[in-house]
Amino acid sequence: MRTVRVNTNTPYDILIERGLIAKTGELVKSVSNSSKVCVITDSNVGAIYGNTVVNSLKNEGFDTVMFTFEAGEKNKRLDTISAMYSYMADFNMSRRDLVVALGGGVTGDMAGFAAATYMRGINFVQIPTSLLAQVDSSVGGKTGVDIEQGKNLVGAFHQPILVIIDPDTLSTLPELYLSDGMGEVIKYGCIKDEKLFETLENENAFDIIDEITEICVSIKRDVVERDEKESGERMLLNFGHTLGHSLEKIYNFEGLSHGQAVAIGMVMIAKAGERAELTEKGSAERIKKLCEKYRLPTSDNASAKDIADICRSDKKASGGSVNLVLLHKIGDSFTKKTELSKLEDFIG
Ligand code: MG
């Protein structure tokens, strides 16, 4: 089994192994002496893995129930959280009891937020089942929900006490969701690890996904440990995200997946870096080729002006500038404060 130890305020382990989901009960028992467990999942993932997880917990003596919400980002709302609170209270859960988040990013964000706030905070365990959640959102302790005015506007930092990653869950994912996660995997290579980038170029990532996942969560772990509340280094994780987020917004979060938007954003910003002679020549082309290999888009019809306009309206609160993440070269990244008024020229 691969183990990545995360030394945040309350340290925890990320365990990676095929078939691990069936051992949830014993793994949870090793970190928790709660008597009750509420597994929170969505209708897609619950139908496939819900019984395995619940039975494994029951076999270890946990009094276990499962809360299932309808799958989809549109349900990442406070009234879903409210239903979770009621369900947990009706089950007489105390402060000593435990939430298990079983699913992709939406489930992890919401179950984590319910755990962060129920009785002012109870423990939770993450079992991320999408590639994106495994390599990205299961590390860092961000939890939350969307409100009408924007995504993830309400939330809390709450670290899990354990993360269980079973790469076999990827076999039940539609292909779009695999490439979605690859956007973030490629990002890690770009910002911190040229060797990872080369491995992704030379091999099929899905043949060695256990190893790739361990490398990605280790990179994120290192960054988050040094910057738990997101002030400095953690910004590097936003490579490709500033422009990507604008693209997601242009398409109302429906036309492009997160990973697709990040892929386009990474290529655009690398090209901009090359034009400004900040980024080694040829980097953008390598990123583009790698994204294509993993079936990610690398360009979009939206104009630099459209994208810059959205950034401007997004970043109003932080003043007249935006921190762009750029590459010196593949594997070596930095942030550059850029005035919003110059953004269109920079990326155009
Ligand atoms: Mg992301």
Side-chain angles (χ1 to χ4, degrees):
M1 182 156 57
R2 297 167 188 271
T3 303
V4 178
R5 179 93 173 149
V6 184
N7 285 305
T8 45
N9 275 345
T10 37
Y12 64 94
D13 285 333
I14 299 170
L15 311 177
I16 307 164
E17 190 175 80
R18 289 172 191 265
L20 214 50
I21 236 173
K23 297 182 191 152
T24 299
E26 50 188 282
L27 297 172
V28 168
K29 191 147 209 175
S30 70
V31 293
S32 169
N33 49 22
S34 70
S35 55
K36 294 185 176 187
V37 178
C38 180
V39 177
I40 294 180
T41 190
D42 73 19
S43 46
N44 290 340
V45 175
I48 308 174
Y49 302 111
N51 281 339
T52 307
V53 168
V54 168
N55 290 337
S56 171
L57 287 159
K58 282 183 174 167
N59 284 342
E60 293 296 324
F62 292 104
D63 187 5
T64 308
V65 292
M66 184 160 80
F67 177 92
T68 308
F69 63 94
E70 198 197 326
E73 174 94 25
K74 68 176 192 308
N75 296 313
K76 192 175 159 184
R77 303 188 310 245
L78 284 168
D79 47 348
T80 311
I81 298 286
S82 175
M84 290 174 190
Y85 293 148
S86 298
Y87 191 85
M88 288 156 68
D90 286 342
F91 183 46
N92 291 315
M93 283 177 78
S94 74
R95 290 214 54 190
R96 287 183 49 248
D97 292 323
L98 182 79
V99 164
V100 171
L102 171 66
V106 170
T107 301
D109 283 3
M110 280 207 293
F113 184 63
T117 45
Y118 181 77
M119 291 191 163
R120 299 188 186 86
I122 64 173
N123 285 337
F124 86 117
V125 168
Q126 289 251 41
I127 309 180
T129 58
S130 72
L131 181 58
L132 184 63
Q134 291 178 350
V135 299
D136 189 45
S137 44
S138 66
V139 195
K142 281 188 184 178
T143 73
V145 289
D146 304 337
I147 60 173
E148 215 175 287
Q149 286 76 5
K151 286 173 62 117
N152 298 315
L153 282 187
V154 174
F157 281 100
H158 192 52
Q159 306 293 344
I161 59 169
L162 179 70
V163 178
I164 299 169
I165 296 181
D166 180 348
D168 278 347
T169 60
L170 303 180
S171 65
T172 52
L173 277 184
E175 188 179 311
L176 171 68
Y177 290 90
L178 283 179
S179 65
D180 192 32
M182 283 308 295
E184 297 286 351
V185 171
I186 293 168
K187 177 196 79 179
Y188 287 115
C190 288
I191 62 170
K192 286 282 179 188
D193 192 340
E194 186 174 19
K195 205 167 140 253
L196 167 63
F197 194 95
E198 285 167 357
T199 304
L200 298 172
E201 287 178 319
N202 298 331
E203 308 204 30
N204 178 355
F206 298 110
D207 294 342
I208 47 167
I209 200 68
D210 309 37
E211 181 190 338
I212 300 285
T213 300
E214 182 184 18
I215 294 169
C216 291
V217 296
S218 300
I219 292 173
K220 185 156 184 187
R221 183 267 319 266
D222 291 346
V223 171
V224 169
E225 272 183 17
R226 289 190 291 254
D227 186 11
E228 196 173 344
K229 287 284 160 71
E230 195 164 274
S231 45
E233 186 180 358
R234 196 158 163 173
M235 281 194 297
L236 297 177
L237 298 170
N238 290 333
F239 178 62
H241 279 61
T242 305
L243 307 183
H245 185 75
S246 296
L247 281 165
E248 283 183 276
K249 238 179 162 174
I250 287 173
Y251 293 104
N252 248 323
F253 297 99
E254 279 166 6
L256 285 174
S257 74
H258 179 69
Q260 289 176 323
V262 167
I264 297 167
M266 290 192 293
V267 174
M268 278 185 84
I269 202 70
K271 280 184 180 164
E274 287 187 30
R275 272 195 305 269
E277 299 188 337
L278 298 165
T279 301
E280 188 176 83
K281 292 264 180 273
S283 304
E285 188 56 29
R286 273 181 83 190
I287 298 169
K288 179 169 173 280
K289 283 222 170 79
L290 190 56
C291 289
E292 284 167 352
K293 176 178 175 183
Y294 292 101
R295 297 170 195 255
L296 287 159
T298 55
S299 66
D300 188 80
N301 293 330
S303 69
K305 179 173 185 313
D306 293 340
I307 293 171
D309 281 349
I310 299 256
C311 279
R312 254 197 299 277
S313 65
D314 256 13
K315 306 281 172 184
K316 263 188 301 212
S318 51
S321 63
V322 59
N323 280 302
L324 291 177
V325 183
L326 291 159
L327 304 182
H328 290 300
K329 62 188 193 65
I330 304 281
D332 182 5
S333 54
F334 65 103
T335 58
K336 182 181 177 339
K337 207 168 178 175
T338 306
E339 282 175 44
L340 282 168
S341 56
K342 296 189 176 141
L343 183 62
E344 184 185 334
D345 276 351
F346 186 74
I347 61 175

